[in-house]
Amino acid sequence: MATPIKYKILVVDDEADIVELLHYNLTKEGYEVAQAENGSKAIETAKTFKPDIILMDVMMPVMDGIAACRQLRELPEFKNTYILFLTARSEEFSEVAAFDAGADDFIIKPIKPRALLSRLAALARRDAQQEEQEKVIDIAGLKIDRTSFAVYKENQKIVLPKKEFELLAFLAATPNKVFTREELLDSIWGSDVYVVARTIDVHIRKVREKIGEDHITTIKGVGYKFNTD
């Protein structure tokens, strides 16, 4: 059996009891854990700790999670870091704002340690599966390199955040096939992740802004496809 991936995890929350709960359960499973009490401190800690995953509260003093996420995504070393928000808020507008800032997922409070550990195991499985997939997709004037999470267009390198890259690579791997939003959510985020269909629209819009409008076609009322016509 393959050795499971044990990530370095940064926990960011201004509630000490939540940090303590997460720290205990994550270290018990073998993860290396660091912590911060607000978004500003999270950025500072991330630069030295270099986490694979950041579990971050949305509402915090000094700097909130969405602002911190946006700043982290602007730093090249955190383009592919998983950022999962911890939030008691389930309104769709807050989810859209968070995904627009570059979040990968939401974990709704109160946090259930067993469910969280299951989510992390699912991330590890998806990472392992992606390592086995075709490393480079060369299609419609794009070169999509899974090893560097980079896209090349006319010899120009375009670096996408992890979920945007995964979405593009998934669509491009099966060109001209139409996928519903639900299929894309299940394939990229997993069936156990709580996200709304609007999440796909946000990510598609951001991918189009970077690679051009022509590669991904919207099929009204259905979903999206990678276009080679």
Side-chain angles (χ1 to χ4, degrees):
M1 180 180 294
T3 302
I5 298 173
K6 292 298 185 182
Y7 297 109
K8 295 174 67 176
I9 301 176
L10 172 59
V11 177
V12 188
D13 202 303
D14 60 323
E15 297 184 46
D17 57 337
I18 291 178
V19 173
E20 183 178 352
L21 172 70
L22 293 176
H23 190 279
Y24 171 78
N25 283 279
L26 292 170
T27 54
K28 186 178 177 182
E29 288 295 310
Y31 295 104
E32 185 178 350
V33 182
Q35 60 196 59
E37 65 274 13
N38 58 61
S40 179
K41 186 67 174 177
I43 295 170
E44 178 183 332
T45 304
K47 289 177 179 178
T48 56
F49 183 61
K50 301 189 183 307
D52 304 295
I53 295 177
I54 300 174
L55 303 176
M56 184 156 54
D57 190 24
V58 174
M59 304 300 292
M60 293 182 292
V62 183
M63 179 186 291
D64 65 39
I66 291 176
C69 180
R70 186 172 287 111
Q71 290 193 28
L72 285 165
R73 289 305 193 204
E74 291 174 353
L75 301 173
E77 62 265 41
F78 301 114
K79 288 287 186 183
N80 300 321
T81 302
Y82 287 113
I83 299 180
L84 287 70
F85 275 120
L86 311 173
T87 179
R89 301 176 62 182
S90 59
E91 299 95 331
E92 183 173 337
F93 79 88
S94 63
E95 291 188 21
V96 172
F99 284 123
D100 196 50
D104 292 296
D105 195 3
F106 267 85
I107 298 174
I108 304 299
K109 295 179 180 179
I111 298 166
K112 299 177 181 178
R114 185 173 297 178
L116 172 61
L117 293 172
S118 176
R119 186 79 57 81
L120 296 178
L123 290 179
R125 286 194 299 272
R126 283 201 290 274
D127 279 352
Q129 289 168 357
Q130 287 168 11
E131 288 181 0
E132 298 174 358
Q133 293 174 337
E134 184 180 1
K135 298 302 182 184
V136 177
I137 300 173
D138 202 337
I139 188 170
L142 296 178
K143 181 180 178 182
I144 302 170
D145 188 342
R146 294 181 188 271
T147 60
S148 63
F149 286 88
V151 180
Y152 296 86
K153 181 177 182 180
E154 298 175 353
N155 295 321
Q156 290 278 81
K157 183 178 180 180
I158 305 168
V159 180
L160 303 178
K162 194 175 185 70
K163 280 294 183 284
E164 291 176 26
F165 180 88
E166 289 176 359
L167 182 58
L168 173 62
F170 180 83
L171 288 168
T174 314
N176 299 312
K177 178 179 178 180
V178 180
F179 292 93
T180 66
R181 289 174 176 81
E182 290 72 23
E183 288 173 324
L184 293 171
L185 283 171
D186 185 53
S187 299
I188 305 302
W189 279 266
S191 58
D192 59 340
V193 177
Y194 176 76
V195 291
V196 295
R198 170 69 174 148
T199 301
I200 295 295
D201 301 331
V202 171
H203 281 70
I204 291 290
R205 173 177 59 79
K206 293 174 78 69
V207 171
R208 283 171 169 162
E209 287 174 355
K210 295 164 185 172
I211 69 168
E213 297 286 333
D214 299 334
H215 296 288
I216 299 176
T217 299
T218 302
I219 307 302
K220 191 172 182 180
V222 182
Y224 298 96
K225 71 170 184 174
F226 188 92
N227 184 39
T228 58
D229 297 334

